[in-house]
Every structure is written in structure tokens, then in C-alpha cells.
Amino acid sequence: MSSKVSRETLYECVNAVLQFAKDKKRNFLETVELQIALKNYDTQKDKRFAGSIRLKYVTRPNMQVCVLGDQQHCDEAKVLNVPCMDAEALKKLNKNKKMVKKLAKKYDAFLASESLIKQIPRLLGPGLNKAGKFPSPLSHQESMSQKIDEVKATVKFQMKKVLCLSVAVGNVDMAADELAQNVHLSVNFLVSLLKKHWQNVRSLHIKSTMGPSQRLY
Amino acid sequence: MESDIVENSEIDKDTVSPEDLETLFSKKYKLLAETAVTLKKTYINKLSVSKSLNIAVQLLDNSIEVYRLDKSSLSKVCRLSGHTKTLTELVFSNKEEHLLYSAGHDGVKLWDIRTSGLCVQEYKDEQPSHPRSYECMDVSCSGRVICAGTETVQNDAYMVFWDQRKPEPLGGYWNSHTEDITQVKFHKDKSETLASGSIDGIINIYNIEEPTEDEALIFSLNVDHAVEKITWLNENQLSCATQSNVLQIWDSSSADKLQHYDREKISRSIKRSRADDCYVVDAFTDADGRVVVLAGSAGGEGHALRSLALAGKKLQPATLFAENKQLVRCCAYDKQRDVLVTTGESGLVNVWGAPGADKEALPKQLGKSVRLHEQRHRPY
């Protein structure tokens, strides 16, 4: 086992990013991004990949999640003060494209009871698909608040034609420890998807939206 | 406090002895034929096999080569050149086995592999001056309808449909996916049923006989991972291999996720030590009626290729492809003959079958086959 990014470097970079954001406060919550530059990789012939990572700490605390629920889930949602809609409320939209679009815009993500999720295309048409917000399933075996936190801690990544992967790993209001853990998790996960693992990594940087990059590797 | 980010430098290896491997992986296949497509190192990322076992492969220069299997050798039937941009999919027609479709970033073409292999049709987009970048395609089981899926262009990802007899498109869908469409797969028996998969992590099931996209969309299945391969396993089940090397099995009539096998489980089941070297090729229903997943490891020599039979939550060892010498990217299984074709990153086309298959199952030589180059078993 060889060390690729020492604990010292990791914290130095994380602290530098957080400090810069504190010194120059913006009027929005800056995201912290991990950037991986790849090498020994040919996007034409090597497998391209994209997906999502479930991080340990919530990256978008202000994310608005709506539950499309059966009776039980809607009751639970009301207790938790989580916006919800039941099958009746969805039927009322009458598959009206504008209204579905409006619903999709109002929330960042949706969770749906397993029974309801199957009816979404019938009830709403492809509107949620079109917005990239098709719901994640919600079962009765899991805690709703935990599931919502999971959604808020899940980030997407994509590698298209350029040899660079970029992932949101947190925000500038997070504690250094939390950000460091999210970075650590993301790096390990992304490296696990690369065929030659660390031999495919040219460099690693983290940066806040408005701040300079800090080189991790 | 967080720890160092370390590199795992363990070499991936088998977790059981060679003797145990032999015993566990009891369904035996042997290498019936192998050929290298060129002398230089190349990847074969796309493959299609016709009912008569013609094998079409994509080359990195965007040409296509078609091979025929004669007893235990592969002879080249023709080379098809015409795509000037990346070739992304090859599909033989189910109905007319001499017809091969290809999709690429410069459109969809139809080839006749008889004689010297001609391009007999180019399928147009609504705006012929701007052909779309197609990432995938399929042909319906009736042989009549073609569907191709595109990359996203300004937030829209399209599925375009043609009647195979005419170059103008019939129409398209563009509301059901938000990222590149990586797979479109028609149901094997119902020509109106179509599944599409995308990097957005959704598989959509459509009834394309409905007049509009809204009405055609029956189910959206949230795979939650970028979709790499979709295969229809039987009447109501499809498999999905994701870009994160997860395998899921879904029921297309009830929209239930039947199984989810993560990378760690697949790696353990193929008896390899490093889950992060494990890759999933595809799943299919074999001649014994079992659902089988083909998986391998990029670690060590990168040659480990094994299959597992799905048994509920369990994955049982099925076949050890001991003679495999490459990282496999695609496979095509012929259920009738119990023959599997694999291709991959060393440019090798491998044909596998049950021992004794070479005598009975393979197509007899039809007339003189043209050998355009010597058979090489050691390409470099």
C-alpha cells in the first residue's frame, strides 16, 4: 500500500479551499469540486463511464426533495415537514405538460413509494424524465429522513470526451473533516472505476466555485 | 482525522486453487476458434452475430469486418468501409441474415454482406445535412423497424425510428432521457416493445405502436447507475449491466427490480480478490434456460473471464474460459448452438462452445471460403 495523497496534503488543500471562501464570502453557497485529470486513457476506445457517488456528508443542504407517496409515506412526510404529493394530487395535474414541468422545476429531486413509482409515466408522462428528475424508489423498510439525506449526499459525475472528471464533493460551509472524508471517498471510488486505477490518474485538484485550485496529487 | 489516500497495490488473483476452480466452474466450454483482426494491437468494442454465425466486428478505423465460422476456423467474408466517424453499434437483421446495420456518429447504414459487401442504404435524419451522433441502435424482431439513440445535443437525447425499407425517418422520441442514450433494445418476440437505457440511469420501456411518445412510455426503471448494456432475457425480464459494473435484473411487465448484484459480489463469485478489477460484460439466457452473466477481471494478466449462473440472490460459478487472453468488451450468445462469441481489447475474436460442439453445431462450409490472410493464433 503506498500513499498517494498524505493526510497532511489532504487537509492542507481542504483548509486552503475553505479559508479562501471564508476570506472572500460570496452571496451564494459555493460548491467544492474534485477534478481528476486522466492519463493513459483513450476516450475513443476505452470504456467511458458516468454515474453517481453516495458521499458520507450532505453536499447540498438546501436541496428540495419532494415525496410522491402512498398514504403511509405522505403521513410520514407531513410529520417530517417534507413536501409530498399523493396519487390523487398527481392525477389532478391531468398529465398537463406545463404543470408537470412546473412541478419538476420546483424540486431538486423526488422520492416515490414503490407502488406509485410504476404509475409515474401513466400519471405524469415523461415530464420528470425530461427534467432529469425521475424519482428514486422509497420503500417502507427504510427511514424517509435517512433516504432524503442520502439523496442530498449523492453526486453525479460524467466523463465524456475530455480526459477530465469533475465531481461536486461538498460546499464551503462544511467542516474540514467532513469535506476531507467526502474527498477521500470520491477519489477512492473514481479510481476503482478506472481500468489501471492510479496509473490512469494524472492529477487531482480541489477547488471552490470561485476559488483557485489546490493540487492534491 | 482522515487518513492518507492510499493505493491498493495488491495484485488481483484467484481466491481458490486451480483445482477448486476446475471443480466449481463445471459447465465446460472450450475455445473453438480464434482470430486476430489485425497485426497491430486494437480493440474490438462492437460485435454482432447472425443466426448463421456470421460474425461482424468493428475496427478502430471505423470499418467493419465480417467473419464466417467454418468448423474450427474463422475466415473473412468481407470488409465494409464507409463510416468516417466513430462506429458505435452493429446489428445483423433477424430476418435477412445477409443484412447488417451499423450506427455511428455519422449516421445509420445498411450493408449487404454478400458479394464484396456493399452499403445498400443510408438512413437519413430530418435534417440530412446534420446527421446525428448515434450511440446505439437495434432492429425489431420483425426486421422492419430500426431505432437508434443519440448523444445529448443541447439537453436533448433522441431516439430516431425508421422503416428499414426507406431512408426517411418515421419519427422520434426526445422527452424520455436527459443524457446520452447508450442502449436501445427491441424485445425478442414483440416488435412493438422497446427498451432504452441511458447515462441518466433510467431504462424506459415503450410500446412503439402508440401514436405519441407520451403514450408509448410504459415504464421508467430507475437503475440509479449509468446504463452500459441491456439484454432481454426472456418474455418479461431484462438484464442491465451498468457502467459501474453492477448487474440488475428487472421485470418489464411489473417494473419490479428483481435482483441487484454489486461489483463486490460478482468479483467474489468469480473467485477473484480485487473487486475494483472486476468488470461485467453482459447477461444472457443459455441453452439450459439459465440466466448467465459473463464477467472478468482487468487485474493480474487481465485474462480472467468467467460466467456465473443466477440463482435468486446467489451467483453460482458456471464456466471458466481458461483460454481467454484479453479484456472482453462484448459477447454474443447463440442459444441454439450453445456457442458464445467474445471480442475485446486485444483485437481477438473468440468462439467458445461445449466440447464436441465443433462436430455437430457449427454451420457446414458452404462452397469455397475465401481466406484473405493466414490464421494467426499469436498476433503480436
Side-chain angles (χ1 to χ4, degrees), chain B residues 92-328:
Chain B
F92 270 106
S93 167
N94 275 321
K95 289 291 168 187
E96 291 160 290
E97 289 162 37
H98 54 274
L99 293 183
L100 174 69
Y101 296 88
S102 65
H105 288 180
D106 55 352
V108 177
K109 298 183 199 294
L110 175 60
W111 310 82
D112 188 327
I113 65 168
R114 296 173 297 194
T115 64
S116 53
L118 277 176
C119 177
V120 295
Q121 184 74 280
E122 291 200 8
Y123 295 95
K124 307 272 175 246
D125 289 298
E126 290 122 31
Q127 287 155 333
S129 50
H130 296 294
R132 298 211 160 91
S133 268
Y134 293 102
E135 288 290 316
C136 56
M137 71 163 290
D138 198 12
V139 184
S140 66
C141 60
S142 62
R144 265 247 295 190
V145 179
I146 307 166
C147 177
T150 72
E151 290 183 323
T152 32
V153 176
Q154 290 169 338
N155 293 324
D156 288 324
Y158 294 82
M159 286 165 62
V160 184
F161 296 88
W162 292 267
D163 177 318
Q164 76 87 232
R165 298 167 295 187
K166 302 189 196 126
E168 299 78 29
L170 292 169
Y173 297 159
W174 54 86
N175 286 324
S176 314
H177 284 295
T178 44
E179 302 282 1
D180 297 358
I181 297 175
T182 48
Q183 291 274 274
V184 289
K185 284 280 161 75
F186 279 97
H187 190 278
K188 297 207 167 127
D189 305 307
K190 295 186 274 198
S191 52
E192 74 278 6
T193 302
L194 176 66
S196 66
S198 162
I199 288 184
D200 64 14
I202 305 284
I203 292 178
N204 288 320
I205 312 277
Y206 311 87
N207 174 347
I208 62 169
E209 279 176 359
E210 295 289 341
T212 67
E213 180 175 4
D214 280 21
E215 291 163 286
L217 180 63
I218 303 177
F219 287 126
S220 289
L221 312 176
N222 196 341
V223 172
D224 209 25
H225 301 259
V227 173
E228 176 77 20
K229 290 243 178 78
I230 295 175
T231 299
W232 285 96
L233 297 172
N234 54 46
E235 188 67 18
N236 290 322
Q237 285 182 22
L238 50 80
S239 67
C240 175
T242 72
Q243 292 188 348
S244 46
N245 297 295
V246 159
L247 181 74
Q248 295 182 0
I249 310 290
W250 288 81
D251 183 318
S252 58
S253 61
S254 64
D256 286 313
K257 180 160 60 170
L258 301 174
Q259 299 295 345
H260 177 113
Y261 306 101
D262 63 25
R263 200 181 190 189
E264 287 69 28
K265 183 166 183 87
I266 295 171
S267 179
R268 274 200 309 276
S269 304
I270 60 168
K271 308 299 179 197
R272 294 294 287 191
S273 59
R274 278 189 72 159
D276 59 357
D277 280 332
C278 181
Y279 65 87
V280 175
V281 183
D282 203 350
F284 51 87
T285 306
D286 75 2
D288 300 327
R290 298 183 307 176
V291 175
V292 163
V293 56
L294 186 66
S297 172
E301 306 245 282
H303 294 173
L305 183 70
R306 302 179 184 170
S307 67
L308 303 165
L310 273 56
K313 287 199 159 42
K314 296 204 169 97
L315 293 171
Q316 291 164 347
T319 304
L320 190 74
F321 295 90
E323 296 132 298
N324 182 60
K325 296 189 215 57
Q326 64 183 342
L327 205 153
V328 171

Side-chain angles (χ1 to χ4, degrees), chain A residues 22 24 105 111 189:
Chain A
K22 281 191 174 60
K24 214 172 169 146
K105 270 199 150 168
L111 290 174
F189 181 70

Side-chain angles (χ1 to χ4, degrees), chain A:
Chain A
M1 297 279 184
S2 64
S3 171
K4 288 296 186 180
V5 180
S6 73
R7 170 182 17 193
E8 288 74 34
T9 311
L10 177 58
Y11 275 90
E12 253 170 52
C13 292
V14 163
N15 286 325
V17 166
L18 292 175
Q19 192 57 52
F20 189 90
K22 281 191 174 60
D23 294 341
K24 214 172 169 146
K25 257 186 144 10
R26 310 284 169 171
N27 57 9
F28 66 96
L29 180 61
E30 291 180 76
T31 305
V32 178
E33 225 174 50
L34 168 69
Q35 293 169 337
I36 305 189
L38 302 175
K39 67 174 189 203
N40 297 333
Y41 203 90
D42 184 338
T43 53
Q44 287 283 72
K45 60 185 208 196
D46 284 310
K47 259 192 190 175
R48 283 195 269 164
F49 54 88
S52 51
I53 310 175
R54 182 151 309 140
L55 297 172
K56 191 158 179 205
Y57 297 98
V58 164
T59 53
R60 289 198 286 168
N62 302 322
M63 206 174 162
Q64 295 298 309
V65 179
C66 177
V67 169
L68 307 178
D70 54 24
Q71 190 60 55
Q72 202 180 329
H73 277 142
C74 281
D75 290 339
E76 215 182 315
K78 286 187 184 117
V79 168
L80 292 173
N81 229 352
V82 169
C84 65
M85 291 176 77
D86 61 13
E88 285 313 304
L90 294 176
K91 280 188 189 128
K92 283 213 178 89
L93 296 179
N94 235 344
K95 247 178 155 177
N96 177 311
K97 276 204 157 114
K98 272 201 180 141
M99 297 196 66
V100 176
K101 196 171 177 183
K102 212 171 153 193
L103 173 66
K105 270 199 150 168
K106 195 171 174 190
Y107 299 100
D108 297 306
F110 294 86
L111 290 174
S113 305
E114 284 169 343
S115 55
L116 208 52
I117 208 171
K118 297 170 189 187
Q119 299 175 51
I120 304 271
R122 293 290 105 223
L123 292 173
L124 301 178
L128 293 185
N129 299 49
K130 184 73 180 172
K133 295 180 185 175
F134 191 80
S136 295
L138 186 61
S139 77
H140 288 292
Q141 278 75 43
E142 50 196 341
S143 137
M144 185 182 285
S145 57
Q146 202 174 2
K147 189 79 189 184
I148 291 176
D149 279 343
E150 270 177 28
V151 170
K152 290 183 176 180
T154 301
V155 289
K156 289 197 161 169
F157 65 91
Q158 213 184 104
M159 172 174 54
K160 292 198 76 168
K161 290 169 182 161
V162 278
L163 287 179
C164 188
L165 273 176
S166 184
V167 192
V169 290
N171 61 71
V172 298
D173 277 353
M174 287 168 82
D177 259 340
E178 296 182 348
L179 195 50
Q181 283 189 59
N182 275 4
V183 170
H184 195 148
L185 233 142
S186 308
V187 170
N188 281 342
F189 181 70
L190 291 169
V191 165
S192 79
L193 292 180
L194 297 168
K195 183 166 64 176
K196 299 259 172 242
H197 310 306
W198 282 95
Q199 285 180 52
N200 285 134
V201 179
R202 183 187 301 283
S203 66
L204 292 174
H205 289 82
I206 52 172
K207 75 185 286 295
S208 59
T209 315
M210 306 302 288
S213 355
Q214 304 292 336
R215 189 162 183 174
L216 283 169
Y217 173 80

